[in-house]
Amino acid sequence: KYLEMLKQLKDMDELTKKQIEEEINGLETSVQSEHAKAIEYLKHTFKLPWDKEESEVWDVDNAKKVLETSHYGLKSTKQRIMEFIAKNRRVKTKKGLILLLTGPPGVGKTTVAESIAKCLKRPHVTISMSGQTD
């Protein structure tokens, strides 16, 4: 079932396809707890819009306006996001475009992520990782 779904994806690079294929092949040998995690991983993977490409908007002024409107305080967090946007506007690369937001529940990680998506005019999806240890 998953191998068929993988074959239908045309716009995925070969390295990613190979990684997903290894994950699919590992389903047969995995123990029950890992099997459930692998199935969940594959479900999320196949939900991703592999055939769509969003335009990039690295507008620092818009980002500053959005962040100031949506969050009070958080000066160092907002500064780091602004640096991220400014750097990627200058460099124009898709490599290394990961921001990791950490902290205890209720500190605003999700709302900050939503604001970043608004700054970049990109869609936002929240995938809860609560309880994950690996």
Side-chain angles (χ1 to χ4, degrees):
K1 168 184 164 183
Y2 289 113
L3 285 173
E4 287 300 317
M5 291 169 74
L6 184 60
K7 287 177 186 172
Q8 291 176 3
L9 296 175
K10 304 290 183 221
D11 295 327
M12 184 184 288
D13 65 278
E14 289 304 313
L15 184 63
T16 305
K17 274 188 179 181
K18 185 179 178 190
Q19 177 66 37
I20 294 171
E21 193 172 334
E22 286 176 14
E23 197 71 40
I24 293 168
N25 293 333
L27 286 174
E28 297 168 9
T29 59
S30 62
V31 293
Q32 189 173 3
S33 63
E34 287 186 18
H35 186 78
K37 284 182 185 177
I39 293 290
E40 222 26 60
Y41 169 79
L42 290 169
K43 283 181 184 177
H44 285 302
T45 300
F46 287 113
K47 284 182 186 176
L48 293 172
W50 294 101
D51 57 342
K52 293 181 185 175
E53 189 168 325
E54 296 288 331
S55 61
E56 296 178 5
V57 178
W58 301 108
D59 184 351
V60 178
D61 294 328
N62 177 56
K64 185 173 185 172
K65 205 179 306 175
V66 169
L67 291 171
E68 289 300 327
T69 304
S70 61
H71 291 84
Y72 176 79
L74 301 174
K75 186 176 179 181
S76 62
T77 302
K78 290 190 278 190
Q79 181 63 35
R80 177 64 189 107
I81 293 166
M82 298 296 293
E83 288 170 4
F84 173 82
I85 291 170
K87 174 195 157 272
N88 286 295
R89 183 178 77 180
R90 194 182 88 245
V91 175
K92 295 185 180 169
T93 180
K94 292 184 180 181
K95 284 189 168 189
L97 296 182
I98 297 174
L99 281 176
L100 177 62
L101 304 174
T102 63
V107 296
K109 297 178 296 291
T110 302
T111 57
V112 168
E114 289 168 352
S115 293
I116 293 169
K118 241 185 242 179
C119 292
L120 302 177
K121 298 181 182 172
R122 302 285 305 260
H124 172 264
V125 176
T126 300
I127 300 174
S128 176
M129 302 303 283
S130 60
Q132 296 295 318
T133 57
D134 45 307

